[in-house]
Amino acid sequence: MPSLTYDEWTEAQDWTTVPVDDHDLHVAYYEEGEGEGDPVVFLHGIPTCSYLWAEVVPRIAEERRVIVPDMVGYGESSMDDGFDRSIRAQEEMIDGLLEELGIDSCTFVGHDLGGGVGLRLAARRPERVDRLVLSNAVAYDSWPIETIVQLGLPETADTTNVGELRELLEGMMTDTLVDPERSEWFLEGMKAQWSSEEAVVSLVRNAAATNTNHTTEIDPGEIEAPTLLLWGADDEFQPIEYAERLNDDIPDSELVGIEGARHWVPVDRPEEYGDRLAAFLLDGYEVSAEGS
């Protein structure tokens, strides 16, 4: 269980304004650590938020500066109904956030849609990404899954209330976590952000913005950054076969499948995930016996 509750996490967040497609959007982010080397940016997917990384961040923050934003349309970032939330727009947001924070390049760690953002950023703006970690990421034509397609139908915003949405999300996550009882903190945190009618509409718009073209137009072979594919091996949403394909296509890549982990791999296996991530990011760090 993480050291911070969801409320403590959000209270500790900073925020800034980032221009995306001529909209000035509020971007909330959690920051920790002051170590040497490139900052590490962690990005979540749908329907999660920055709190996804709460068990993993402290280990990396011991030696590196860590920045964990909420994508626009999620968490404590802008949720109003008036801007694009696609991974193309999230790529623009991350680029703008790095600019606002005075960061030229970073190590980028992305899960789910956040991994799709990382793919685009590394392929299209290689100067921004020195190292790349993709975990159960959307890629090629692997997405959106049927649940997200249905969630993104326009009428869903009119026919679904807060309680129904939270029940839907809890059911989806409970069914796809390895140990829902141990992961209760994650379930509660992920539901907490979707607690208003504005948030319901925001999540529907987020789902509607999932666009397969935004990954099929990317050539992974153009990615120059050393890449770790750190994948929950038992994922039914983004199967490991897509990681194998990325491993074939990205010139400098390594695939590590974490057994006994499904889609929510940083939550299912936080110790092994953190161990593997630290070994890739931190010089001289060795994977423990539990993570080998």
Side-chain angles (χ1 to χ4, degrees), residues 4 8-9 12-14 28-32 50 57 66-69:
L4 298 180
E8 290 168 339
W9 178 274
Q13 285 179 308
D14 293 314
Y29 61 95
Y30 178 86
E31 183 170 359
E32 185 179 348
S50 58
V57 159
V66 170
I67 298 157
V68 197

Side-chain angles (χ1 to χ4, degrees), residues 78-285:
S78 290
M79 280 195 181
D80 59 282
D81 194 15
F83 57 89
D84 183 14
R85 299 105 186 292
S86 68
I87 63 170
R88 180 208 60 80
Q90 306 293 352
E91 176 197 356
E92 294 291 331
M93 180 276 286
I94 291 294
D95 187 61
L97 178 62
L98 295 176
E99 190 72 26
E100 287 290 325
L101 298 178
I103 297 170
D104 294 326
S105 63
C106 68
T107 291
F108 190 95
V109 183
H111 177 261
D112 189 78
L113 261 66
V117 175
L119 276 169
R120 290 182 61 87
L121 197 69
R124 289 164 34 84
R125 309 171 199 247
E127 72 283 357
R128 281 296 199 196
V129 181
D130 282 343
R131 287 192 179 191
L132 178 64
V133 180
L134 302 175
S135 293
N136 300 73
V138 301
Y140 308 108
D141 59 353
S142 72
W143 65 299
I145 64 171
E146 184 60 26
T147 300
I148 299 301
V149 171
Q150 294 301 314
L151 182 60
L153 295 175
E155 60 263 30
T156 304
D158 298 323
T159 60
T160 306
N161 61 38
V162 170
E164 290 168 336
L165 178 65
R166 286 161 61 98
E167 184 177 351
L168 170 68
L169 295 177
E170 181 169 14
M172 179 184 74
M173 291 181 175
T174 299
D175 289 345
T176 53
L177 282 162
V178 169
D179 187 350
E181 185 174 342
R182 182 206 167 274
S183 306
E184 186 66 24
W185 66 269
F186 170 69
L187 291 168
E188 291 305 311
M190 294 309 102
K191 289 188 299 179
Q193 63 182 315
W194 312 116
S195 299
S196 67
E197 293 302 324
E198 180 184 57
V200 172
V201 174
S202 187
L203 183 53
V204 172
R205 302 294 187 252
N206 296 341
T210 53
N211 186 339
T212 313
N213 293 330
H214 290 163
T215 48
T216 56
E217 70 179 358
I218 295 300
D219 178 5
E222 295 178 350
I223 293 175
E224 301 171 1
T227 300
L228 175 64
L229 303 160
L230 190 54
W231 220 268
D234 302 322
D235 187 356
E236 60 270 63
F237 295 151
Q238 302 299 325
I240 199 168
E241 286 78 13
Y242 284 101
E244 292 167 350
R245 184 175 170 187
L246 286 167
N247 194 38
D248 288 339
D249 288 347
I250 297 174
D252 185 3
S253 64
E254 176 188 5
L255 170 58
V256 175
I258 298 182
E259 299 297 331
R262 301 172 78 177
H263 186 67
W264 317 106
V265 57
V267 178
D268 284 339
R269 293 287 180 268
E271 292 184 6
E272 182 174 355
Y273 186 93
D275 227 12
R276 295 288 188 181
L277 182 61
F280 181 68
L281 299 185
L282 308 179
D283 292 337
Y285 190 99

Side-chain angles (χ1 to χ4, degrees), residues 47-76:
T48 62
C49 66
S50 58
Y51 193 54
L52 167 78
W53 303 104
E55 284 192 298
V56 175
V57 159
R59 181 179 302 195
I60 305 303
E62 289 176 4
E63 298 192 41
R64 302 282 282 278
R65 180 186 180 191
V66 170
I67 298 157
V68 197
D70 289 328
M71 291 195 293
V72 290
Y74 300 76
E76 298 298 308

